[in-house]
Amino acid sequence: MTVTITAFDRSPDGGKGLARDTRVRWALEEVGQPYEVRLVPWAEMKQPEHLARNPFGQIPTYEEDGLTLFETGSIVFHIAERHPGLLPADADARARAITWIFAALSTVEPPILELVTTKIVEGDKPWRDDRLPLVEARIRNRLDQLTARLGDAEWLDGAFSAGDLIMVSVLLRLKPSGFLATLPKLAAYVARGEARPAYQRAFAAQLAVNTRPADSPPCPRPTAGLVSAQGL
Ligand code: GTB
């Protein structure tokens, strides 16, 4: 089976691992599935070739023997369904782990993305200063609720699962904001995720892409060049 994902040719974060291909890389590393990476330059993200993979012209996408997927949650869920290691065998435990994928993406991540929007995208707008405390309060509320549920457990529901993978990935986006520093249990949860060897490999692979020399050959057109995940 050949798996190919897409990633930014150069991520705006310069390799901090915040672009969402890191989540997919992490899932593939957890299950031991080798993969190739198709680097998509900005100029090509909204071109027909990439829109055929993702109608919104975004990364990451996932291609596997004729199947093309987009949306990180769906991709990670698919990987977890096809390989052992990211979802429990017990049907109820599996349903709960899947619930955490949805909770991370639809309940925890939205206010975190609002923070990025308020601070960066709308940073020069007149409403920024009024809006920021409201957004921060919404995040704090979610993090307090999550902390209460996590308690002293290592992971959200028994063994590490795709739900934890997505939740840790979502929370990593908060690192620069200082929120996690005020919530030691949640910070330790995120640190446990980051310490996993599979995360480390995923992070290193995206870092290599995003820190390759500026004068390295330009990314070839997607159909022409598949770059090995380990090869960069
Ligand atoms: N819901 C989709 C999913 O989960 O797959 C969202 C995908 C998405 O937002 N993709 C972004 C993208 O392609 C990259 S990850 N953006 C280009 C576009 O929309 O035209 C989001 C992201 C980008 C950059 C940083 N960064 O530099 O810190 C962090 C996260």
Side-chain angles (χ1 to χ4, degrees):
M1 178 169 66
T2 305
V3 168
T4 304
I5 67 167
T6 51
F8 284 133
D9 182 34
R10 280 195 194 270
S11 175
D13 74 356
K16 292 195 177 74
L18 298 177
R20 290 175 206 210
D21 57 294
T22 304
R23 304 173 186 191
V24 174
R25 292 173 186 270
W26 186 5
L28 290 164
E29 292 287 354
E30 287 284 350
V31 302
Q33 169 65 50
Y35 62 100
E36 305 282 321
V37 182
R38 197 189 298 273
L39 299 177
V40 186
W42 282 98
E44 294 181 9
M45 303 233 0
K46 308 295 185 228
Q47 295 301 311
E49 191 170 336
H50 190 61
L51 289 172
R53 293 182 204 109
N54 179 332
F56 308 111
Q58 296 187 313
I59 61 93
T61 60
Y62 175 99
E63 292 157 81
E64 168 207 300
D65 301 340
L67 170 70
T68 302
L69 298 174
F70 56 95
E71 286 299 329
T72 326
S74 144
I75 295 169
V76 169
F77 180 46
H78 172 79
I79 294 166
E81 286 249 283
R82 295 290 167 99
H83 303 266
L86 283 174
L87 285 174
D90 173 76
D92 287 355
R94 196 175 180 90
R96 289 195 302 274
I98 294 165
T99 299
W100 280 115
I101 298 178
F102 281 90
L105 294 174
S106 51
T107 302
V108 178
E109 188 166 50
I112 295 174
L113 295 181
E114 274 185 64
L115 183 69
V116 177
T117 302
T118 309
K119 278 187 169 172
I120 298 168
V121 185
E122 299 175 354
D124 59 347
K125 302 294 183 205
W127 56 81
R128 186 238 186 228
D129 289 350
D130 287 338
R131 187 161 152 69
L132 194 55
L134 303 175
V135 172
E136 287 174 340
R138 280 202 283 277
I139 295 174
R140 182 74 206 197
N141 183 38
R142 284 287 178 259
L143 298 184
D144 286 345
Q145 291 165 325
L146 189 60
T147 304
R149 171 53 76 98
L150 182 65
D152 292 318
E154 193 177 12
W155 305 112
L156 287 166
D157 193 311
F160 176 83
S161 77
D164 294 297
L165 187 153
I166 296 288
M167 187 66 82
V168 168
S169 300
V170 162
L171 295 174
L172 277 168
R173 198 78 192 265
L174 276 178
K175 249 187 165 179
S177 71
F179 267 103
L180 291 177
T182 67
L183 294 161
K185 284 189 180 175
L186 218 48
Y189 169 68
V190 172
R192 280 194 289 280
E194 287 181 287
R196 292 180 70 84
Y199 177 82
Q200 296 287 320
R201 290 193 295 275
F203 184 89
Q206 66 76 37
L207 182 66
V209 167
N210 289 303
T211 53
R212 71 193 194 279
D215 61 354
S216 65
C219 177
R221 288 192 60 76
T223 45
L226 297 179
V227 182
S228 159
Q230 280 76 31
L232 280 170

